[in-house]
Amino acid sequence: MICSHHRRWLANNQQLQSTVDVEFDPAKDDANIAKDGLSLAIAELIEIHAVIRYARADCGEGRFAVFGTIEEIAYCLTFTLRSGTVRAISLRRARTKEYRRYVDQTPATARR
């Protein structure tokens, strides 16, 4: 469930309707490349199909997951909002089961 503050932010930021302007920590980018083989820089290319909010007790800030595609491949982008800016935390290939849970369609390119 998205709180009213974040719902207003999402509604007022039209870039989330198709693509996202993203900032990220270079150390997080290096870690993401090492773990998943993907730079956080390509997160700006994601075509958004669903946005969910989840709570993490250990970080003290709202986290979001975007499920979408880049060149017809399904991805999951995890981010937080800092001063109204999307701050990427991780980017990885989406799994078929989770993609199906949040998005009506399942691209053939989701991970099994």
Side-chain angles (χ1 to χ4, degrees):
M1 180 101 183
I2 299 175
C3 70
S4 61
H5 167 74
H6 290 115
R7 187 176 296 119
R8 280 192 306 276
W9 185 90
L10 291 168
N12 291 332
N13 285 273
Q14 296 301 316
Q15 74 267 19
L16 286 177
Q17 309 246 331
S18 58
T19 60
V20 183
D21 291 327
V22 176
E23 69 176 30
F24 52 85
D25 180 333
K28 286 259 189 204
D29 189 40
D30 291 341
N32 206 75
I33 291 168
K35 182 179 177 201
D36 295 305
L38 299 167
S39 172
L40 296 174
I42 69 165
E44 292 183 342
L45 304 174
I46 197 164
E47 182 179 330
I48 297 169
H49 298 180
V51 179
I52 62 163
R53 183 176 191 268
Y54 62 96
R56 281 197 42 175
D58 63 335
C59 68
E61 61 188 4
R63 298 259 174 122
F64 297 86
V66 164
F67 290 91
T69 56
I70 300 172
E71 296 181 0
E72 299 183 20
I73 298 174
Y75 288 94
C76 177
L77 168 65
T78 301
F79 70 94
T80 190
L81 295 174
R82 292 199 184 149
S83 302
T85 301
V86 173
R87 181 114 173 135
I89 297 167
S90 71
L91 177 68
R92 61 176 173 77
R93 292 280 303 269
R95 291 171 185 80
T96 300
K97 189 174 184 177
E98 70 183 345
Y99 198 88
R100 208 179 281 149
R101 182 181 310 148
Y102 300 111
V103 181
D104 291 341
Q105 60 198 7
T106 302
T109 56
R111 278 189 5 191
R112 304 257 173 232

